[in-house]
Every structure is written in structure tokens, then in C-alpha cells.
Amino acid sequence: MIKKFPFIIYALTLLLACCTDNQKAAAQTTASLKETFKNDFLIGTAMDARQIEEKDTAADRLIKQQFNAVTPENIMKAEIIQPGWNTYNFDLADKLVAYAQQNNMKLNAHNLIWHSQLPPFMHNVQDADSVRQYFINHITTVASRYDGKVYSWDVVNEALNEDGTLRNSVFLQKLGDDYIVEAFRLAQKAAPHTKLYYNDYNIEQPKKRAGAIALIKKIQAAGVRIDGVGIQGHWRANNVPMEDIEESIKEFAALGIEVMFTELDLGVLPNPWDNNTADVSATATGSAKMNPYANGLPDSVEHAQAKAYADLFTLFLKYKKNISRITFWGVNDGQSWLNNWPVPGRANYREQRRNSCPDPAA
Ligand code: G3I
């Protein structure tokens, strides 16, 4: 196990931070991430639409070289896959299914039920019967189409508040407390050959973790299948909650389900708030002070980030029996959502890497 650490530091530095000529040369002789961790857990990445269409050549090479699992960053979300009532657009999702099959990658479909990125028509739907109709149709249609074609679904995404109570979403308001159990029940029926997961951010934190555990136990007590839990892992490189993460792995694993880190990224920019939310609706205004690396990331910050990734992977390896997948939220920090959230237009990447990947063939 120890022998892997220098590689982890090196590889994550290469993939997520800088890319010097020496590192490029070394990359051609070093094992890939998926090869290095092949006996431990799957190594995945989120893919954006251009990458799914194989229009981003450098990213395409990197994805095929490094990863054995993929998650669509956006294109299987409800607003894209069901843009009109009972009108579906499966084009990009079908492409991703074919891409994953051809490249022998496990596809985690993301997601079926989420309060965010709902189709525009849902903003006008107020009556409970219509919400229920949407809920049943969406899960049944989409999950059954991809049963046996995707490896897993994030069935419900981000249903909890920070204190562990249920988020006051349209689904909670119109369908009541049991809607999450019902979502898993419908998914189980529609996709009997697909793994079913609950996915959320900050569920390593004690109160939210307790809420997630109660939710999972409720699903299990109802006799409904849940195969795993995804801890998203949107953390800050200088403040990774290692003890909470370790405790969470133990507590979630004790429920008899897989534990995954599903959207891992370690931001290096200042946080406008005291909390560590990953709620996409939370936004803040910018200032030069809030964007300190506009002209490039100092080596010291980059090395601290690489060290934080190495520490995390040390922990992941300790619990490899319980962890089935680690997925990074994006192939390249230059294209990450973190450059536009919570403050728009910041640089959470090395200057020379903006909007492009290090090309392993270059
Ligand atoms: O595709 C449209 C494009 O046509 C349009 O011109 C452009 C103008 O703003 O918007 C494009 O859509 C954007 C989309 O990303 C694709 O780039 C949306 O505005 C933007 O809101 C959306 O952001 C995504 C965000 O979820 C939205 O909820 C991020 O890429 C994506 O990384 C992020 O992912 C979430 C996970 O699903 C759940 N967990 C948190 C995570 C980070 O927020």
C-alpha cells in the first residue's frame, strides 16, 4: 500500500494541478489511476457534454487512459432529459451509454430526483397530483430505458438540510415525507439490474450524516433496495474534514451498503462563507481578494492541494473494503464548476490549463 503514495501525489498533481515537461515525460511511463487502484476501487470522472461527444480531444485521451467509471455532469439531469412534459431527449445519454460500453467503463447515471435543474415546466406545476405524475413518469421512463445499460443511478440527490432534516423541496411539499422511499421503490421496479444510490454533499458532517443514516434505514425498513451512498466530497484543500470522513465511512458501511466519494474536488480559493455548502443556488459577489490566483496558482498552494489529495487517498485505501468508487468532479480544474461558483469568473486552476486538459499524447 505504501508504495502507492508517491504515485498518488504525483498523479493527482499531474491531473489536477500543473503539467511540467518532466511530469509529462514521467506520465508516459507511470501506471494510470485506474490501473493503480484496480484492486481497491473504481476511479471515475464527471464528463461534460463536449467530452461525451468526443469533441475535446485531450480530455478524451485522458479519460480513456485514466478512468474506469464515468458520471454525466449534467446531461442526465431532469431539465435536459425531459425538457417538456412527457417529452424526452435521450441523445447525449445514449451516446454516453455507448461510450462507456466501448471503453469498458461503469456509468453512474446522475440523477433521477433532485430539487435543482428541474425541467422549466415543473416551475408552473403546483398541484400534488401533477407532481406525483411527473415523479412516477420520470423515474419509470428514464430508469427503465437504461436498466442494464447503466451500472448505477443516483436515485435521489441532495434531499437533506445541513441539520439532517428533509429539504423543503417541491417533492417534500407535494408528496410528503415518504417520497424518497417511493423514489427508490419505483427505481427498483423500473431498473432491477441497476444499483441504486443516495447522493449528497456534507453528509460526512455529524448532523447531516445522522439524517442520511435515518433515511437509509427508513428505505431498508420498508423492504426497498438501496445499494450505496455517495458522499460528494466538495471540500477545500486546506480544510478537509478527515475525522468526519473516516467516521462516515465506518457508519455508512455498518448499514451494509457501498460507500462512494462521488464528486470529489478540493477547491483552493477563499470561501465567502463560514460554512462549506455545495448548494448551487448559493451565490456570492466577487472581488480581487476573492480571486487571488487569477495570474496563476503558486507552487505552494498546488503542493498543499496535492498533499491533501494524497492524505485523502491514504484514508480511502485504509477503508478500501468498504469503498467502491472515487469519482472526481471533472477531468480538468480549468473547466470545473468551481471557477463559477459561488463567485463567478474566478480561477481555481493553473493559468496555462484554462479550458484545456493536459494531453497525455502531447
Ligand atoms: O448548457 C447551458 C448552456 O446552453 C447555456 O448557454 C449556459 C448559460 O449559463 O448554461 C449552460 O448550462 C449550465 C450547465 O451547468 C452546463 O454547463 C448551467 O447554467 C449551470 O447551472 C450548470 O451547472 C451545473 C450545476 O451542477 C447545476 O446544478 C454544473 O455544471 C455541475 O457541475 C453541477 O453539479 C452538481 C451536481 O450535479 C450535484 N452536486 C453539486 C454539483 C456542483 O454544483
Side-chain angles (χ1 to χ4, degrees):
M1 189 194 290
I2 295 294
K3 277 201 303 199
K4 285 181 180 165
F5 296 163
F7 170 75
I8 296 165
I9 296 171
Y10 160 73
L12 294 172
T13 304
L14 172 70
L15 289 176
L16 301 161
C18 73
C19 191
T20 65
D21 287 346
N22 284 345
Q23 285 172 324
K24 272 190 210 163
Q28 283 155 15
T29 55
T30 311
S32 65
L33 288 170
K34 66 180 175 187
E35 185 63 24
T36 301
F37 297 108
K38 69 176 181 210
N39 297 321
D40 307 321
F41 27 68
L42 294 167
I43 293 283
T45 182
M47 288 179 71
D48 67 21
R50 279 190 72 233
Q51 291 159 353
I52 291 165
E53 294 194 276
E54 298 181 74
K55 289 180 177 164
D56 184 341
T57 315
D60 193 50
R61 286 201 196 98
L62 201 67
I63 293 165
K64 289 170 181 164
Q65 184 188 72
Q66 299 290 334
F67 300 102
N68 50 21
V70 287
T71 300
E73 186 175 0
N74 286 299
I75 59 97
M76 291 182 91
K77 290 174 181 172
E79 74 171 353
I80 295 176
I81 217 161
Q82 194 188 166
W85 182 270
N86 251 335
T87 305
Y88 294 87
N89 181 351
F90 295 119
D91 290 356
L92 283 171
D94 287 352
K95 275 199 178 103
L96 183 57
V97 167
Y99 179 98
Q101 272 169 1
Q102 277 156 20
N103 294 293
N104 203 20
M105 294 167 176
K106 298 259 193 309
L107 199 174
N108 176 59
H110 172 82
N111 54 55
L112 286 170
I113 294 297
W114 188 25
H115 65 280
S116 188
Q117 286 187 284
L118 280 168
F121 67 79
M122 278 301 285
H123 301 310
N124 302 321
V125 171
Q126 293 299 328
D127 65 293
D129 284 349
S130 299
V131 174
R132 183 171 300 282
Q133 203 56 58
Y134 163 81
F135 181 82
I136 296 170
N137 286 351
H138 188 79
I139 296 174
T140 306
T141 305
V142 181
S144 62
R145 179 183 179 91
Y146 292 110
D147 186 35
K149 294 184 177 164
V150 302
Y151 180 73
S152 53
W153 267 107
D154 292 333
V155 177
V156 177
N157 194 46
E158 300 176 6
L160 291 165
N161 294 315
E162 297 306 297
D163 66 0
T165 58
L166 288 181
R167 186 191 285 272
N168 189 22
S169 69
V170 63
F171 301 113
L172 181 69
Q173 287 166 17
K174 305 295 180 187
L175 308 180
D177 283 10
D178 289 339
Y179 86 88
I180 297 168
V181 175
E182 290 315 308
F184 276 84
R185 199 192 300 279
L186 288 164
Q188 175 179 0
K189 192 167 171 220
H193 309 100
T194 307
K195 294 201 178 223
L196 307 177
Y197 302 145
Y198 177 73
N199 189 55
D200 210 333
Y201 59 84
N202 285 354
I203 50 171
E204 75 284 353
Q205 295 302 315
K207 284 185 185 162
K208 202 165 179 179
R209 184 200 313 153
I213 289 171
L215 200 62
I216 293 161
K217 284 186 172 168
K218 185 174 174 179
I219 296 167
Q220 292 173 325
V224 174
R225 178 164 63 87
I226 174 166
D227 299 295
V229 61
I231 301 169
Q232 291 185 4
H234 297 294
W235 294 307
R236 314 185 62 69
N238 63 3
N239 190 22
V240 182
M242 298 293 282
E243 285 174 16
D244 292 324
I245 296 168
E246 180 160 13
E247 191 54 33
S248 303
I249 298 169
K250 289 192 220 163
E251 291 186 19
F252 285 129
L255 300 172
I257 57 174
E258 295 169 39
V259 181
M260 287 150 288
F261 293 85
T262 53
E263 303 185 12
L264 182 58
D265 48 26
L266 300 183
V268 295
L269 295 175
N271 183 359
W273 308 294
D274 289 339
N275 63 26
N276 269 326
T277 184
D279 189 331
V280 283
S281 65
T283 54
T285 49
S287 67
K289 201 172 148 214
M290 294 304 291
N291 189 22
Y293 310 131
N295 297 319
L297 203 61
D299 286 350
S300 59
V301 176
E302 185 189 327
H303 292 152
Q305 187 199 41
K307 163 85 167 54
Y309 274 114
D311 290 346
L312 255 181
F313 270 73
T314 304
L315 182 64
F316 294 158
L317 285 171
K318 181 174 170 192
Y319 291 96
K320 62 183 185 181
K321 284 199 176 64
N322 306 116
I323 297 174
S324 57
R325 171 167 55 90
I326 312 291
T327 291
F328 294 94
W329 205 237
V331 182
N332 163 22
D333 280 347
Q335 300 162 326
S336 166
W337 73 295
L338 288 174
N339 297 313
N340 288 308
W341 181 93
V343 179
R346 296 198 295 176
N348 191 66
Y349 54 86
R350 288 282 286 213
E351 180 58 22
Q352 67 267 33
R353 295 266 310 279
R354 185 197 298 263
N355 288 329
S356 68
C357 275
D359 186 343

